[in-house]
Amino acid sequence: MGRPLFYEIVEKPATSCIIGICSAIWFYIQKRNIGYSHVGLSYENAIEGHHWRIITSAFSHISAIHLVFNMSALWSLGVVEQLGHIGLGVAYYLHHTLVLAVLSGALVLGMYHLLIQRFKIEYFRRVTAVGYSCVVFGWMTILAVKQPSSKLDLFGFLSLPISFAPFESLIFTSIIVPQASFLGHLSGIVVGYAIAWGLIHGMNNYWAISMLGWIVVVFVVSLKRSGAYDFKFLEIESVTDPSLPSVRFLGSGRTLQMSSLPVEGVEIV
């Protein structure tokens, strides 16, 4: 007989919180009848300034089976939180979950850009990706490098050697679920290897909090500028250079100017 669920939750606090957040968002999406096009990430949306979708697309799921598959894999991968003795642990998990969510989303957009601009494949202009799989595939890859003897358990009865899980799952989901985002999953694997091999390193509490702060700023500003949500306390106006947005917090009289770099079917991830 297995251990009580309560003890598992205590040993995987970050994983449990993320599963709770994704489940709550799924319930809200179902309750409000929100479609993938409202929260998903596409190249067309990104160039229109909907940068907030990098975050909403990662934590949103449209179907129950999509949610269950991703959260089942994530629960198994939560073992990372218990591996502090090999340099992983809760802090490592939280820091690099943030990196995986942002960089895998950005990498997907970069791949779309290359395919559209260089190879003229217009199909990828409006493909909309949604789901947490890019982060899940990232953690599969990190665990495959750091702890190759581990197993990936799915649905409580299917067990895969973690060393083969990233590419096995990439091929399996592409065959079984035609709508699965091959590029989204591949981006998670690429960023996962970059983290596991030390190409992306140096994350600590300071950098994680700084990164989170900038994510919140960009999230709020892009929501406001794209017209997706109207923050009454926030005004955005141009200062000297119309290409550089500025943010004014009403009532404080302070203005923050930010630099802006130009960025030139449904897929579930």
Side-chain angles (χ1 to χ4, degrees):
M1 185 174 180
R3 301 178 64 193
L5 180 61
F6 172 78
Y7 293 105
E8 293 278 349
I9 292 173
V10 169
E11 291 181 350
K12 302 176 182 178
T15 303
S16 301
C17 287
I18 292 171
I19 290 174
I21 290 169
C22 288
S23 300
I25 291 173
W26 174 82
F27 181 79
Y28 182 82
I29 285 172
Q30 300 303 310
K31 187 78 172 176
R32 297 282 182 158
N33 198 29
I34 297 172
Y36 67 87
S37 61
H38 295 96
V39 294
L41 177 66
S42 71
Y43 180 82
E44 196 169 65
N45 289 141
I47 61 176
E48 289 174 356
H50 293 229
H51 305 122
W52 51 271
R53 290 174 180 265
I54 290 178
I55 302 300
T56 59
S57 64
F59 290 91
S60 300
H61 298 80
I62 303 303
S63 68
I65 188 64
H66 185 203
L67 174 72
V68 170
F69 183 86
N70 277 353
M71 296 304 102
S72 174
L74 184 64
W75 179 255
S76 179
L77 294 166
V79 69
V80 170
E81 297 187 65
Q82 303 168 348
L83 297 176
H85 60 284
I86 63 169
L88 304 181
V90 178
Y92 183 95
Y93 183 86
L94 288 172
H95 295 166
H96 292 90
T97 289
L98 197 62
V99 173
L100 281 167
V102 174
L103 291 191
S104 59
L107 183 56
V108 167
L109 291 176
M111 291 179 180
Y112 288 168
H113 182 79
L114 180 64
L115 290 168
I116 294 167
Q117 302 298 332
R118 181 69 178 85
F119 297 99
K120 309 302 180 184
I121 306 177
E122 290 297 315
Y123 165 78
F124 291 101
R125 185 176 295 277
R126 295 183 181 179
V127 168
T128 302
V130 62
Y132 200 72
S133 298
C134 52
V135 179
V136 169
F137 272 78
W139 280 119
M140 280 186 202
T141 305
I142 293 169
L143 202 56
V145 174
K146 299 284 189 179
Q147 189 81 349
S149 60
S150 297
K151 299 280 187 180
L152 176 67
D153 296 316
L154 296 173
F155 309 112
F157 62 87
L158 180 62
S159 184
L160 299 173
I162 194 66
S163 55
F164 301 110
F167 292 103
E168 281 181 347
S169 300
L170 180 67
I171 296 170
F172 176 78
T173 53
S174 298
I175 295 173
I176 302 302
V177 186
Q179 285 183 310
S181 175
F182 181 87
L183 293 181
H185 297 167
L186 182 62
S187 70
I189 292 174
V190 170
V191 177
Y193 274 123
I195 293 171
W197 290 340
L199 302 178
I200 299 173
H201 60 90
M203 283 295 289
N204 53 35
N205 289 338
Y206 171 79
W207 288 114
I209 292 172
S210 299
M211 184 178 180
L212 181 61
W214 280 110
I215 289 171
V216 170
V217 170
V218 173
F219 185 87
V220 171
V221 170
S222 63
L223 269 175
K224 175 78 174 182
R225 293 191 76 198
S226 64
Y229 190 86
D230 185 21
F231 293 96
K232 300 296 183 182
F233 63 90
L234 193 64
E235 278 187 358
I236 300 178
E237 60 182 21
S238 61
V239 178
T240 64
D241 185 348
S243 67
L244 301 180
S246 67
V247 182
R248 175 178 295 171
F249 295 91
L250 299 184
S252 67
R254 294 184 178 180
T255 299
L256 170 66
Q257 188 171 5
M258 301 170 59
S259 62
S260 177
L261 296 177
V263 182
E264 269 299 297
V266 186
E267 288 190 345
I268 57 176
V269 296

